[in-house]
Amino acid sequence: MRILMVCLGNICRSPMADGHLRKKVKDLNLDVVVDSAGTTNFHNGVAPDKRMIATGVKFGTPIDELRARQFKVADFDNFDLIYCMDSSNLTNVLSLARNDADRQKVLLILNELEPNSNTAVPDPYYGSMNDFEAVYQLLDRATDCIIEKIKNGKIR
Ligand code: 4NP
């Protein structure tokens, strides 16, 4: 199983989702590869936002070694599931899909927490540290749901 997390810049939400899931699959010794990407190339090659790194350190999930990259069409071949943080990311990723098989891999991450809710992980970039903490907690819960599904063989 290979899972890709996607947001706009790949410096706040998707690296945190990536960090959470990476840590959980490692702790549980699950055979899952995790990565993340942004729909833009704005932050290519850089570490996550300092505020997201600090929040990760504060609550126990470090992400400082991750580096931003842009989503590419080959990611449809390299990953089984592509979790987007909001509907704009979803639209942008779907616009690059080549066929139905590609499209079926693309999901909104919070639909794992609240099925069919189609809610967004709020973009914390212009927000406060509380917004970063909220993103951390939301993605901790969403990745717990993903882990449960993987363990129960229910991830499609
Ligand atoms: P992310 O947050 O998509 O969660 O990484 C953002 C990062 C950068 C920008 C916007 C959102 N930006 O406008 O540069």
Side-chain angles (χ1 to χ4, degrees):
M1 169 74 59
R2 300 173 67 93
I3 296 179
L4 184 68
M5 303 295 189
V6 174
C7 64
L8 179 69
N10 193 207
I11 56 168
C12 300
R13 293 165 293 172
S14 63
M16 198 64 250
D18 180 344
H20 275 305
L21 194 62
R22 238 175 238 241
K23 179 166 185 274
K24 290 171 191 187
V25 299
K26 186 166 182 245
D27 289 349
L28 293 164
N29 209 13
L30 296 172
D31 186 17
V32 179
V33 172
V34 185
D35 196 13
S36 59
T39 56
T40 66
N41 63 3
F42 297 163
H43 303 279
N44 265 1
V46 306
D49 187 287
K50 285 187 170 54
R51 296 163 295 176
M52 199 73 259
I53 292 178
T55 306
V57 168
K58 179 174 176 183
F59 293 105
T61 304
I63 54 167
D64 52 299
E65 289 181 3
L66 301 178
R67 294 294 176 268
R69 71 170 179 87
Q70 188 172 22
F71 180 85
K72 53 185 192 288
V73 172
D75 288 321
F76 288 115
D77 300 321
N78 296 335
F79 293 91
D80 304 300
L81 287 175
I82 298 167
Y83 282 117
C84 297
M85 300 298 126
D86 65 32
S87 60
S88 153
N89 314 146
L90 185 92
T91 301
N92 289 327
V93 170
L94 286 175
S95 74
L96 297 172
R98 301 157 298 185
N99 50 45
D100 280 348
D102 287 354
R103 279 185 277 279
Q104 279 166 13
K105 296 181 175 189
V106 190
L107 304 167
L108 276 175
I109 192 167
L110 290 189
N111 281 351
E112 295 295 356
L113 192 58
E114 293 175 66
N116 306 313
S117 64
N118 295 336
T119 53
V121 179
D123 182 351
Y125 192 67
Y126 295 105
S128 67
M129 286 308 288
N130 279 345
D131 298 314
F132 279 85
E133 294 196 10
V135 165
Y136 181 100
Q137 303 300 347
L138 207 48
L139 291 172
D140 192 14
R141 291 162 59 213
T143 52
D144 275 349
C145 293
I146 294 170
I147 287 287
E148 277 311 301
K149 274 194 162 178
I150 294 169
K151 284 201 290 191
N152 297 328
K154 283 188 180 157
I155 215 122
R156 23 152 241 158

